[in-house]
Amino acid sequence: VARHQLPQAQLPGMQDVTFEFPVHDDVELRLRPCRMSGEHEFYEVWKVCAASDPILCEKWADALDQLSTTRQAVVQNAMNRLALIPPIEWAVDIADLDELRKTMKMKNMEYKATAHEVVDQVICPATFKTAYPWAIQRTRNGKRATHFVSHTWEESVMDFIKALVKLNLIDAAFWICFLALPQTWPSEELGHLLATPFQSPFYVALRDCREMVVVRDSKANL
C-alpha cells in the first residue's frame, strides 16, 4: 500500500486528503505538475483504484474533474495575459539566466542537465500555478528581446548559459524558446499558440529581434 499526499498546487481544496491504494508493478505513480497539466499522472492512479475500491475511484474521478476545471481557468487567465504582451517581450536577461543557474544548483541538478530536464524539473514546477512562461513570470510585464537564440535542447543548459554570458552583450535580452513559451499548457492550447507560422511567437520574435545568436553544441551541429 502506498500513501501519497496531494500537492496543493495540483488539487486546490483537497490538499489535506490522503489516499491509500494498491501499487501495481506496471503503473508508475507520480503526483507532480507536468506540461500536459498533470492529468496523465492522476489518470494512472485512478485506473489502479478502479479495480479495487469503487468509492476511492469515485473520489479520484471528482478530483480529476476539479483539477480539469481549475486548470482550464488558470490557463485561460495566462492566455489573456499573454495576449497583452507582444512576443518580442517574452525575453530574459543575464540576471534571469543566473537565477536559473542558481535554481538548478539548489535542486542538485547535474551540470550536463539538458533543456528537457530543466523544463521538467525547474520550469514546469515553477510556473504551474500561473501557467505563464518562465520569462513572463520573472518580469510580469515582459522584457523586450534584442537577440533571438537558436540552440539544441540536448545541450547542457549550464554550458548554454555560460556561452551567452561569454558574449558579454551589454543590456542584451534573449528570446529563448523553452523560457519564452508556456511549458505547462495542455497540448491543444499550445498548438493554437503556434499554429499559424507567420503569426507564431517564434516568427514575431525572430522578425523583431536586432540579432540572432546560434549556440552550437558538441552534440548537435546547428
Side-chain angles (χ1 to χ4, degrees):
V1 174
R3 180 183 294 271
H4 289 270
Q5 184 76 29
L6 300 184
Q8 183 174 357
Q10 285 191 283
L11 201 57
M14 296 187 67
Q15 57 267 33
D16 296 325
V17 178
T18 300
F19 294 110
E20 291 186 356
F21 44 85
V23 176
H24 291 199
D25 292 337
D26 59 343
V27 176
E28 183 179 8
L29 306 180
R30 293 181 300 154
L31 300 180
R32 65 175 181 83
C34 74
R35 72 185 68 185
M36 300 306 292
S37 80
E39 293 173 332
H40 178 70
E41 282 78 7
F42 277 103
Y43 180 64
E44 293 295 344
V45 174
W46 181 44
K47 285 201 305 185
V48 175
C49 297
S52 58
D53 190 335
I55 296 178
L56 192 55
C57 172
E58 184 175 350
K59 288 182 179 179
W60 275 101
D62 291 342
L64 275 171
D65 288 341
Q66 183 178 356
L67 174 66
S68 179
T69 300
T70 302
R71 194 65 193 153
Q72 288 174 8
V74 170
V75 171
Q76 185 60 56
N77 180 69
M79 292 171 67
N80 295 342
R81 178 67 176 163
L82 282 188
L84 301 175
I85 305 174
I88 189 63
E89 296 181 8
W90 303 356
V92 296
D93 60 19
I94 292 299
D96 297 318
L97 293 174
D98 188 54
E99 187 63 29
L100 176 61
R101 179 186 60 80
K102 290 177 181 177
T103 302
M104 290 174 63
K105 285 188 173 182
M106 286 176 57
K107 288 179 173 286
N108 295 317
M109 297 186 70
E110 294 185 7
Y111 185 92
K112 63 181 181 180
T114 67
H116 296 286
E117 295 167 305
V118 171
V119 165
D120 285 341
Q121 298 179 41
V122 178
I123 306 304
C124 284
T127 61
F128 187 79
K129 287 185 179 181
T130 65
Y132 290 166
W134 191 81
I136 296 300
Q137 185 153 298
R138 285 280 299 170
T139 63
R140 303 299 290 180
N141 294 317
K143 186 175 298 179
R144 188 173 182 82
T146 58
H147 295 73
F148 183 96
V149 182
S150 178
H151 67 106
T152 170
W153 279 52
E154 301 302 324
E155 70 198 337
S156 159
V157 171
M158 287 294 197
D159 281 342
F160 171 69
I161 294 174
K162 183 185 295 185
L164 293 178
V165 171
K166 281 185 176 181
L167 292 175
N168 196 28
L169 297 171
I170 300 174
D171 297 328
F174 303 102
W175 203 96
I176 302 167
C177 60
F178 72 92
L179 302 178
L181 297 177
Q183 299 295 338
T184 61
W185 287 15
S187 56
E188 184 176 357
E189 279 73 12
L190 190 58
H192 289 159
L193 181 67
L194 305 175
T196 307
F198 293 108
Q199 296 178 0
S200 74
F202 282 100
Y203 176 83
V204 174
L206 183 56
R207 179 194 66 195
D208 294 344
C209 275
R210 199 167 64 210
E211 294 180 317
M212 180 178 181
V213 174
V214 179
V215 180
R216 301 180 66 185
D217 181 76
S218 60
K219 295 182 180 180
N221 185 13
L222 300 179

